[in-house]
Amino acid sequence: MENQSAYNMGLAGKTALVTGGTKGIGQAIADQLAQAGATVIVTARNPPGDTNPTHHFIAADLARAGQAAELVREIHDTVGQVDILINNAGGITSPGGGFSALTDTDWENELQLNLMAAIRLDRELLPGMLDRKSGVIIHISTSSGKQPLWDVNMAYATAKAALNCYSKALSNEVSGKGVRVLAVSPGAVKTLAVEQLVQSFAATAGISIEAASEGLMNKMGGIPIGRPADPEEIAAFVHFIVSPAASYLTGSNYFVDGGGLSGV
């Protein structure tokens, strides 16, 4: 078979940075990339309670201007270049309830964490990738970026929709220069953050956890496969698209949502 290396999913000799890499999807991605042979750096605001001892942890709050540059300086001083960047840090920080429940501060916080954090880190790491004519940048988004829930995640979904647009624009700019840029939009995933979202929705609506969970799934259009994803399933897909096996993939936003309507 010609070009055997094109089907290689190994990452030996590569260094990956995973933001928000101490729990949930980020931790699963970090573990998966380490298993594939990559040197993995994880960053989050707080040190992990428990994490893979092979990961290098560096504390950073990427929602704050200036933290991205400090993080990258420390990485360059201690580890060296970054070949794979997983912009996973994000989450819902604002209340539900629709437009009237959201203040300017709520909107600003969502944009800083879910959009600007990735933009700032890309800005710091892209020059080196372009110089080497090699690199992969992944933006972890959400299916809500296409199918928002007005009473649950309006500001968050809006910020992620902007991230999707930015990701495509950045890909158009740099893909011809050796750097691949892609977005991944999970649907419902079995993480602590999703459990907390369900609890918050239940409390706001005055309903049971079971009813809240069913209601959220219905709002998302249902899950044809019949269950939320495990974080490891999202991580397996991310491993594939950052590997040499996916060398022709760039510019796309992949919906990993069990066949949900958001991917139509």
Side-chain angles (χ1 to χ4, degrees):
M1 182 181 296
E2 294 183 3
N3 196 13
Q4 288 276 2
S5 62
Y7 301 92
N8 173 24
M9 288 181 62
L11 300 175
K14 300 295 185 182
T15 296
L17 170 61
V18 183
T19 69
T22 61
K23 58 186 177 181
I25 293 173
Q27 183 176 11
I29 292 172
D31 291 345
Q32 182 83 239
L33 300 189
Q35 291 170 12
T39 297
V40 175
I41 307 157
V42 298
T43 186
R45 286 177 294 182
N46 302 306
D50 60 329
T51 189
N52 191 319
T54 65
H55 302 340
H56 301 266
F57 174 77
I58 302 174
D61 182 357
L62 296 173
R64 295 173 54 196
Q67 290 279 299
E70 294 177 15
L71 170 65
V72 171
R73 280 195 294 270
E74 186 168 348
I75 291 171
H76 286 164
D77 290 343
T78 58
V79 181
Q81 70 185 39
V82 172
D83 305 293
I84 300 166
L85 170 58
I86 312 295
N87 283 300
N88 171 73
I92 299 174
T93 66
S94 57
F99 82 95
S100 61
L102 298 169
T103 66
D104 282 4
T105 299
D106 293 325
W107 283 101
E108 181 66 23
N109 288 341
E110 294 287 25
L111 289 168
Q112 289 295 329
L113 178 59
N114 294 291
L115 175 64
M116 293 307 302
I119 290 174
R120 292 185 185 113
L121 201 48
D122 291 351
R123 186 188 298 142
E124 293 294 329
L125 290 171
L126 254 173
M129 293 181 177
L130 293 172
D131 286 345
R132 297 188 298 274
K133 296 181 174 59
S134 176
V136 184
I137 295 174
I138 306 297
H139 298 113
I140 303 298
S141 185
T142 173
S143 60
S144 294
K146 185 172 183 179
Q147 187 166 306
L149 309 179
W150 69 265
D151 53 346
V152 178
N153 62 13
M154 180 183 285
Y156 167 76
T158 300
K160 288 296 193 180
L163 179 68
N164 296 340
C165 182
Y166 159 73
S167 184
K168 179 61 175 177
L170 185 64
S171 173
N172 289 346
E173 179 180 2
V174 303
S175 290
K177 302 173 183 178
V179 180
R180 297 192 294 118
V181 181
L182 305 107
V184 176
S185 291
V189 184
K190 290 184 283 188
T191 65
L192 177 60
V194 171
E195 290 179 11
Q196 292 171 339
L197 173 63
V198 172
Q199 292 169 2
S200 175
F201 181 59
T204 301
I207 58 179
S208 68
I209 295 293
E210 292 74 17
S213 179
E214 182 178 356
L216 283 173
M217 294 307 103
N218 290 337
K219 283 175 176 290
M220 294 171 64
I223 307 176
I225 205 170
R227 61 172 178 82
D230 291 319
E232 291 75 17
E233 292 175 303
I234 307 301
F237 181 72
V238 171
H239 171 205
F240 167 68
I241 62 174
V242 303
S243 76
S247 59
Y248 196 63
L249 300 182
T250 191
S252 297
N253 181 7
Y254 294 96
F255 287 83
V256 187
D257 61 357
L261 295 178
S262 58
V264 175

